[in-house]
């Protein structure tokens, strides 16, 4: 693969750079002064092949200095002749296109497919490594370069193999080395292990000591127990003679008293003075008997009170609620009762008034008068009729006066009896009328006779009057007649209005206004009578209802008057009395209950006393062998003995808290047959021994405490199992360290072996090719290049012009070293891209330190190499550019500084 | 007959914990486990407790442990529960040795000699409920098959045999010395209702009819002794249908988890989340997982973005400390051997450079090849000086070697 054309729109300081349509040759020399853009052009070519790195506009150092975006491209021709056109831009993000023939593809920032067989970093460091940089590497750096160029075959992602091996061996050596040089962790751990074994022995010794101490403590505790026992025995002995003997005497006395007491059961709960107790019991029994009699007497009065509250009263109280309601009702009806009396009185008054008025008007009693007819008379009409009648009477009186006047004039002609006939007539008519109603037939006949006589007399008179004597008289008479007729008509009209009433005749004959007034009064009387009668009936009904209600409520009660008011009064009294009786009975019952309880208690108490008396007498008789008095006497003696025994025991117990224990000690001593005789020598010896034992106990206690302290101290020290654990942990760490050390060592050995194999497999070809190139450059002074076996990986030179292998480095000249590495580099790149496109190679100022002959031979070599690979040589030296140009190189001049 | 079958208590085991506090807790754990077991025996009112050897770890028994042991046995004696204790290779019973000299209560029958003894077992009411035939190790290296001397059982009551033995076919038997070896077939045919075995620390039933059981040790002692540890509660009341139930007693459990798939763990949180995920996955099927203290080893494998940080001891300790808190563990160790950058070992193996060559050499060594350029005296831990010994030893060191080579040789500064 080779570049045919380079086009730069903008890349770093380069702008509008174009090599033109003429394809670039395989050998190109880029000539220009320093900072003319040679490095920029080199980076441009790398970017065309591999894309931008860094891939951001801001981060890329070749973003155009004057602003804008990177814009560049190239035309490539591949080994098979295919022509590729590449265009790349770096704006916000990288973009690119690849045109192959008529097909364009999006390249983005990817590596060109024709360069993928060589990684970008390898390309930059091997195909474009500047020899001037190599020339300055010395010593260790030389080895790194050799690693990178030869062992790593340019694999820039690998660390220096030599360094890695050294690191592994160093790390392994820190853990362990076969020799004793330096600090070694494993040896330290083994030293620690030895120390731990010593500590383990110490811990075992501590454990043994602890067991010994524990055994000693057990022994001392045993001795302590024995000493305490002996001290206790001595103390008991001394106590016995100092305290137990007097006490034993007291106890013996106590036992004697208890013997006098005899069986305790006989005296259990006996009074201290049985006789006095029996007397007191008899007194109490008598008092109780009297009290019971009093209770019986007190019972009579309340019993009567209870009985006084009988069934009738109970019945009454059962109904007391309703009865009280009824009484209240009856009491509230008292005004009604008064009103009834008033109404009755008023009715009687009205009756009298009616009767009186009736006597004036009627020939019948007031009771006989038909009230309906009476009330049917219109008083108004009657008054009008009476007024009419009064007028006609006056008219007739006037007419009569006239007649009389005329008559007086002819007085003499007229018999005295001229008035007799009408009088008789009227009387007779009135008698007929009145007799027909009240007097019977005989008077009617008599009246009719009288009326006949009267009529005859009237006729006579009329006859005489009709005598043609005097016309005026005659007219007066006629007027009188008319007036009389009218009067009669009016009177009849009045009479007609009261015709249905049994009116007295005179009243009808000569009716006056009193007729209307009387009738009106009578109608009023009747009206009032009716009203009051109706009201009376209503009120009486109410009163009768109360009576019926009483009957319903208290029909079974005897002795109640029918009158509700009286009955209410009586009932109220009875209820109050029944309530008092009931209350009294209740109180009486409580009293009776109290008396009953009192009696029951008294009887119980009496029974208990009698029982106690019986029991006590029985027990006393038992004590007295059937004789009560003797029993009383003996019991008293024994009780007194017991009292003294109790006092003695109390005193002993007060002065000796452990009396039972002491008694037990005495018993044990007695059982053991101890001698209770006092031996002062023996007591003193025992006291002295007790003191010895006290001292011994204190000493043993101190020794036990000391041993326990020792045990505590020993227990705080490392135990064997703890040291064993530490040893185990150390052993584990030691095993881990040994394994880790050997592992690191083995890894280092693996890498060394890998290096050896690789060198064996690949270096011969590369070095052979490099030796060939070096032979050309040095004009056969050096014809072989190889790596030494000293493990340092140094290049060695050999050739016919040199006596023996010569290590590359000082004192070999810098130019020779550069020539070696150029030769190696030319060999390596052929190895690296041997299976793919041959990538261009760049050299920058590689020949400055070289002598002219070797440089010329090198240019010949490069010209020959350009047959297989495009070469770009960057130089600021015109002579170098010219020399290469002479060998067919295209000269690209970067004339001006950027 | 109901009994508690224990074995391999190994009191006073020298635990190799990283700190003194941890070692102390582990020593206490063995005692706590035994105390728990004896409490369970009392609560269950068993007829007898059987201890099939290795009650303590060696002849040296600390003063404190000795006192603890006697106190525990006395408590059991006060509960009127007898003990039959057959000695093992760690606690042989010849006179003069520790098992023989301890002040056992009368209720403890110590079978310290190889001749089998048939011991009647009284029930709670005093009536005989069965027999235990047991033989013990007299010395530390008992090489005979002691089971051959067991007399044939007979009678109406349950017959139990007890022996500290390595049955050839037992799982994980290789981890133990082949003391008092026995054949499973012989045990099966011996006629006993139950074989109470000890020696192999992995709990297992060698046979169901008749039941032949190792209860495993009472408390795990190393990272290789994982899982719940305890004893077996055995009920032979119905001889035709024996019941064997495991009861966990050891308060501390050891656990090792291997964590792969760490390519996505780009920070500490993600790393711990992944570890927790693996841990929880392991615990999901663990019926006894809730009531223990844990000592955990976490082995991180494969590629991880944090490989460089985890290669530093201090960083690993930090991760372990945080994990201890998250997992509620007594102690956590994190191992990262072989951890490497995020790349494929297979791809790297195909490289044409020295890295590819080194990986290929590791493969050759694993397949039995020899590594030239290294002498036996250069290796600190090599036992033996033969080439085969050396090759085998080197092979044993290759765990995670590819990852280590990658992590060292790949230049992190390379673009």
């Amino acid at each position: 693969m080779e570049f045919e054309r380079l086009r730069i729109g903008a890349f770093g300081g380069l702008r509008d750079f174009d090599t033109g349509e003429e394809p670039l040759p395989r050998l190109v020399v880029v000539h220009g002064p320093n900072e003319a853009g040679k490095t920029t052009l080199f980076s441009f070519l790398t970017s065309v092949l591999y894309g931008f790195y860094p891939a951001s506009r801001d981060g890329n150092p070749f973003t155009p200095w004057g602003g804008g975006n990177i814009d560049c491209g190239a035309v490539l021709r591949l080994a098979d002749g295919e022509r590729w056109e590449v265009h790349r831009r770096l704006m916000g993000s990288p973009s690119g296109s690849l045109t192959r023939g008529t097909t364009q593809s999006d390249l983005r920032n990817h590596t060109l497919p024709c360069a993928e067989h060589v990684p970008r970093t390898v390309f930059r460091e091997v195909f474009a490594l500047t020899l001037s940089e190599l020339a300055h590497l010395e010593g260790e750096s030389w080895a790194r370069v050799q690693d990178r160029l030869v062992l790593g075959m340019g694999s820039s992602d690998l660390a220096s193999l030599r360094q890695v091996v050294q690191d592994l061996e160093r790390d392994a050596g820190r853990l362990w080395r076969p020799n004793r040089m330096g600090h070694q962790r494993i040896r330290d751990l083994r030293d620690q292990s030895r120390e731990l074994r010593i500590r383990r022995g110490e811990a075992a010794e501590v454990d043994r000591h602890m067991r010994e101490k524990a055994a000693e403590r057990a022994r001392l505790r045993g001795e302590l127990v024995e000493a305490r026992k002996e001290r206790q025995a001595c103390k008991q002995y001394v106590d016995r003679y100092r305290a137990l003997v007097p006490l034993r005497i007291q106890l013996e006395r106590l036992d004697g008293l208890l013997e006098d007491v005899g069986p305790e059961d006989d005296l259990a709960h006996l009074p201290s003075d049985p006789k006095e107790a029996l007397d007191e019991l008899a007194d109490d029994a008598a008092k109780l008997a009297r009290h019971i009699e009093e209770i019986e007497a007190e019972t009579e009065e309340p019993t009567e009170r209870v009985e006084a509250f009988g069934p009738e009263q109970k019945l009454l109280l059962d109904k007391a609620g309703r009865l009280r309601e009824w009484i209240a009702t009856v009491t509230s009806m008292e005004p009604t009762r008064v009103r009834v009396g008033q109404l009755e009185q008023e009715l009687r008054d009205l009756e009298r008034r009616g009767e009186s008025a009736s006597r004036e008007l009627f020939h019948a009693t007031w009771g006989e008068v038909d009230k309906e007819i009476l009330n049917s008379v219109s008083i108004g009409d009657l008054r009008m009729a009476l007024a009419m009648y009064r007028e006609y009477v006056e008219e007739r009186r006037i007419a009569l006066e006239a007649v009389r006047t005329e008559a007086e004039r002819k007085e003499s002609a007229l018999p005295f009896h001229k008035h007799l006939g009408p009088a008789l007539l009227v009387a007779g008519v009135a008698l007929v009328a009145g007799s027909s109603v009240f007097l019977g037939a005989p008077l009617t006949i008599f009246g009719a006779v009288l009326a006949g006589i009267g009529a005859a007399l009237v006729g006579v008179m009329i006859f005489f009057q009709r005598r043609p004597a005097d016309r005026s008289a005659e007219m007066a008479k006629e007027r009188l007649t008319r007036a009389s007729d009218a009067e009669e008509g009016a009177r009849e009209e009045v009479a007609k209005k009261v015709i249905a009433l049994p009116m007295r005749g005179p009243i009808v004959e000569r009716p006056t206004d009193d007729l209307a007034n009387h009738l009106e009064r009578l109608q009023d009387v009747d009206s009032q009578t009716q009203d009051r009668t109706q009201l009376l009936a209503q009120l009486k009904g109410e009163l009768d209802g109360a009576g019926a209600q009483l009957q319903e409520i208290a029909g079974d009660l005897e002795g109640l008057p029918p009158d509700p008011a009286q009955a209410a009064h009586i009932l109220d009294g009875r209820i109050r009395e029944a309530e008092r009786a009931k209350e009294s009975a209740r109180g009486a019952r409580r009293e009776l209950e109290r008396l009953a309880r009192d009696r029951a208690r008294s009887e119980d108490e009496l029974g208990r006393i009698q029982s106690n008396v019986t029991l006590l007498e029985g027990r006393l008789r038992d004590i007295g062998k059937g004789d009560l008095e003797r029993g009383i006497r003996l019991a008293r003696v024994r009780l007194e003995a017991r009292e003294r025994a109790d006092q003695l025991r109390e005193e002993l117990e007060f002065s000796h808290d452990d009396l039972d224990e002491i008694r037990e000690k005495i018993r044990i001593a007695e059982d053991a047959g101890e001698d209770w005789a006092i031996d002062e020598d023996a007591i003193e010896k025992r006291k002295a021994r007790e003191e010895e034992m006290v001292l011994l106990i204190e000493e043993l206690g101190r020794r036990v405490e000391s041993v326990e302290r020792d045990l505590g101290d020993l227990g705080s020290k490392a135990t064997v199992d703890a040291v064993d654990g530490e040893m185990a942990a150390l052993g584990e760490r030691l095993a881990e360290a040994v394994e880790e050390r050997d592992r690191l060592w083995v890894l280092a050995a693996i890498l060394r072996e890998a290096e050896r194999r690789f060198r064996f497999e690949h270096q011969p070809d590369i070095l052979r090719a490099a030796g060939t190139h070096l032979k050309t450059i040095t004009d056969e002074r050096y014809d072989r290049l190889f790596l030494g076996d000293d493990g340092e990986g140094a290049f060695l030179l050999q050739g016919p012009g040199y006596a023996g292998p010569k290590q590359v480095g000082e004192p070999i000249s810098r130019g020779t070293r550069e020539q070696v590495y150029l030769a190696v580099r030319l060999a390596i790149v052929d190895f690296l891209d041997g299976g793919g496109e041959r990538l261009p190679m760049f050299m920058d100022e590689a020949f400055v330190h070289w002598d002219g002959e070797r440089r010329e031979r090198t240019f010949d070599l490069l010209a020959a190499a350009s047959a297989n690979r495009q070469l770009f040589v960057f130089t600021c030296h015109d002579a170098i550019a010219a020399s290469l140009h002479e060998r067919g190189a295209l000269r690209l001049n970067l004339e001006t500084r950027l | 007959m109901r009994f508690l079958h224990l074995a391999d208590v190994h009191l006073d085991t020298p635990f190799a914990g990283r700190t003194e506090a941890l070692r102390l807790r582990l020593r206490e754990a063995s005692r706590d486990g035994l105390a728990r077991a004896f409490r369970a025996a009392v609560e269950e009112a068993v007829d007898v407790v059987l201890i099939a050897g290795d009650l303590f770890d060696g002849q040296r028994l600390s003063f404190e442990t000795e006192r603890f042991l006697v106190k525990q046995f006395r408590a059991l004696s006060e509960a009127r529960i007898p003990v039959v204790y057959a000695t093992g290779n760690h606690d042989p019973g010849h006179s003069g040795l520790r098992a023989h000299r301890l002040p056992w209560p009368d209720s403890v029958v110590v079978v310290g000699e190889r001749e089998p003894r048939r011991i009647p077992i009284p029930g709670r009411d005093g009536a005989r409920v069965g027999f235990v035939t047991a033989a013990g190790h007299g010395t530390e290296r008992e090489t005979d098959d002691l089971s051959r001397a067991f007399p044939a059982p007979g009678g109406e009551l349950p017959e139990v045999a007890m022996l500290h033995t390595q049955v050839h076919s037992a799982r994980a038997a290789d981890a133990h010395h082949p003391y008092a070896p026995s054949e499973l077939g012989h045990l099966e045919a011996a006629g006993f209702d139950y074989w109470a075995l000890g020696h192999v620390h992995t709990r297992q039933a060698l046979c169901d009819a008749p039941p032949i059981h190792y209860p495993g040790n009472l408390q795990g002692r190393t990272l290789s002794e994982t899982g719940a540890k305890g004893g077996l509660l055995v009920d032979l009341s119905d001889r035709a249908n024996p019941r064997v139930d495991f009861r966990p007693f050891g308060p501390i459990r050891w656990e090792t988890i291997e964590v792969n798939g760490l390519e996505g763990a780009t920070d500490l949180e993600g790393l711990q989340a992944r570890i927790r995920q693996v841990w929880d996955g392991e615990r999901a099927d663990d019926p006894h997982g809730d009531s223990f203290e844990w000592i955990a080893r976490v082995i991180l494998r494969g590629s991880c973005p944090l490989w460089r940080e985890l290669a530093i001891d201090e960083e690993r300790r930090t991760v372990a400390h945080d994990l201890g808190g998250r997992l509620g563990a007594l102690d956590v160790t994190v191992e990262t051997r072989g951890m490497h950058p995020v790349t494929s070992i297979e791809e790297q193996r195909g490289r044409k450079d020295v890295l590819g060559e080194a990986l290929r050499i590791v493969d050759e060594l694993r397949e039995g090849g020899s590594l030239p350029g290294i002498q036996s005296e250069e290796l600190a831990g090599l036992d033996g000086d033969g080439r085969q010994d050396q090759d085998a030893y080197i092979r044993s060191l290759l765990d995670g070697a590819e990852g280590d080579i990658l992590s060292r040789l790949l230049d992190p500064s390379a673009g």
Side-chain angles (χ1 to χ4, degrees), chain A residues 817-848:
Chain A
R817 291 203 302 271
E818 289 180 358
Q819 288 151 20
V820 168
Y821 283 99
L822 178 63
V824 170
R825 199 168 160 227
L826 287 170
I828 287 175
V829 294
D830 286 344
F831 180 85
L832 284 175
D833 62 6
E837 288 286 336
R838 297 283 184 183
L839 300 183
M841 185 176 172
F842 304 92
M843 284 161 282
D844 183 12
E845 302 294 355
F847 318 106
V848 178

Side-chain angles (χ1 to χ4, degrees), chain A residues 742-795:
Chain A
D742 286 349
R743 197 162 178 280
L744 293 171
W745 195 255
V746 166
L747 287 176
I750 288 171
L751 292 181
R752 281 198 304 271
E753 174 63 10
E755 176 192 8
R756 189 193 65 75
R757 287 189 189 181
F758 183 83
R759 198 161 44 195
F760 177 79
E761 289 178 11
H762 299 293
Q763 278 186 15
D765 297 339
I766 296 168
L767 294 178
R768 194 178 304 115
T772 303
H773 296 323
L774 191 62
K775 181 179 178 183
T776 302
I777 293 169
T778 61
D779 193 21
E780 300 186 0
R781 178 176 176 79
Y782 303 113
D783 59 358
R784 281 189 67 201
L785 183 64
F786 58 95
L787 283 168
D789 294 328
D790 57 355
E792 299 297 321
F795 285 118

Side-chain angles (χ1 to χ4, degrees), chain A residues 156-216:
Chain A
S156 61
D157 60 339
L158 294 185
S160 163
L161 181 74
R162 186 181 312 277
Q163 185 60 54
V164 170
V165 170
Q166 285 179 359
D167 289 347
L168 285 167
E169 290 176 344
R170 183 201 60 215
D171 293 346
R174 285 174 180 165
L175 293 171
W176 184 79
R177 281 188 291 275
N179 56 43
R180 288 188 166 274
M181 293 175 63
H183 184 78
Q184 300 179 33
R185 177 167 169 70
I186 290 174
R187 291 190 189 280
D188 290 346
L189 290 172
R190 284 173 177 162
D191 290 343
Q192 289 178 34
S193 182
R194 278 190 290 277
E195 288 171 13
L196 278 178
R197 278 196 288 276
I198 294 170
R199 282 179 54 199
R200 188 186 184 286
E202 292 169 353
E205 189 65 14
V206 167
D207 192 86
R208 189 180 62 75
H209 275 304
M210 286 182 76
R211 292 175 193 276
E212 287 175 357
K213 289 289 180 185
E216 184 182 356

Side-chain angles (χ1 to χ4, degrees), chain A residues 157 159 211 720 741-743, chain B residues 61 66 378 393 399 404 411:
Chain A
D157 60 339
R211 292 175 193 276
V720 174
R741 186 266 167 197
D742 286 349
R743 197 162 178 280
Chain B
L61 200 59
E66 193 172 307
E378 295 175 15
Y393 180 62
D399 181 32
D404 283 347
D411 185 357

Side-chain angles (χ1 to χ4, degrees), chain A residues 806-822:
Chain A
K806 188 176 183 180
Q807 185 171 340
V808 175
E810 298 295 347
I812 292 287
S813 71
R814 178 176 177 178
T816 303
R817 291 203 302 271
E818 289 180 358
Q819 288 151 20
V820 168
Y821 283 99
L822 178 63

Side-chain angles (χ1 to χ4, degrees), chain B residues 261-272 274 303-307:
Chain B
L262 292 166
E263 291 81 0
T266 55
D267 55 19
L268 185 61
E269 196 64 29
L271 177 71
Q272 289 181 333
R274 172 66 184 143
S303 56
C304 174
L306 301 173
W307 66 275

Side-chain angles (χ1 to χ4, degrees), chain B residues 227-308:
Chain B
K229 296 289 185 178
L232 299 174
L233 184 65
V234 184
D235 188 348
L236 299 181
S237 304
D238 180 359
R239 295 177 73 179
N241 295 291
R243 286 189 56 187
V244 182
D245 294 322
F246 170 68
R247 296 295 175 93
F249 297 130
I252 296 176
R253 276 182 59 175
W254 302 77
E255 199 61 51
T256 298
I257 59 168
E258 193 167 309
V259 183
N260 293 297
L262 292 166
E263 291 81 0
T266 55
D267 55 19
L268 185 61
E269 196 64 29
L271 177 71
Q272 289 181 333
R274 172 66 184 143
I275 295 171
R276 182 73 203 219
Q277 182 186 22
V278 174
W279 177 269
D280 289 345
E282 296 273 340
R283 299 281 74 73
D285 299 326
D286 189 343
H288 305 292
D290 293 335
S291 54
F292 296 95
E293 301 165 87
W294 295 92
I295 295 177
R297 177 170 63 171
V298 178
I299 301 174
L300 305 180
R301 293 282 193 194
S303 56
C304 174
L306 301 173
W307 66 275
R308 191 178 299 111

